Amino acid sequence: MDEIVPTTKDRDSYFLNFSDGMPMFSNTDISYYYDDALRHTKKMVNDMRTRGIKVLSYYIGDGYEGDKTMGAFKTMYGKDAEFVDVTSVMSVSKTMNKKFLEKN
């Protein structure tokens, strides 16, 4: 988070996320899955928004993921969650252009 540059009056900042799945990680010391990972991601995204950073988050998939995965992605990224067909780059460019043209 320290490396993400916040928005200022002279600069817009964006967090661009492309995902093919839910956040998860584990080793012998940590298990980062499901509700804990969703809540943590949501908190970090909200922290970025508080700093004026505009969020664009894309879930890249082919339709097999199901409602549970889509719901979890919306939980983390809210109104900034977009679902993208792997065969259509145009949908990404349209949503990016829309975000870039938004006024603060």
Side-chain angles (χ1 to χ4, degrees):
M1 290 294 281
D2 292 338
E3 294 182 26
I4 298 175
V5 179
T7 294
T8 66
K9 66 180 180 115
D10 300 319
R11 173 188 56 225
D12 289 333
S13 294
Y14 298 87
F15 176 75
L16 181 60
N17 175 59
F18 290 95
S19 177
D20 66 349
M22 293 295 106
M24 61 178 68
F25 175 79
S26 69
N27 61 23
T28 57
D29 299 321
I30 189 170
S31 179
Y32 184 77
Y33 290 102
Y34 309 112
D35 292 337
D36 290 337
L38 296 179
R39 279 192 298 274
H40 179 253
T41 301
K42 181 178 181 176
K43 180 185 181 318
M44 295 295 100
V45 169
N46 286 336
D47 286 354
M48 284 186 274
R49 288 185 185 121
T50 299
R51 294 171 58 196
I53 298 164
K54 297 178 183 177
V55 175
L56 298 103
S57 188
Y58 299 95
Y59 189 91
I60 313 296
D62 61 5
Y64 72 89
E65 290 85 2
D67 292 338
K68 184 176 180 180
T69 300
M70 302 302 187
F73 197 70
K74 279 278 194 193
T75 295
M76 293 182 290
Y77 294 98
K79 66 181 178 55
D80 299 309
E82 297 283 344
F83 302 99
V84 180
D85 182 342
V86 295
T87 63
S88 175
V89 176
M90 286 303 292
S91 60
V92 173
S93 64
K94 285 180 184 177
T95 58
M96 289 177 77
N97 282 334
K98 181 179 171 186
K99 182 65 79 171
F100 294 152
L101 294 172
E102 283 180 358
K103 299 292 181 195
N104 288 332

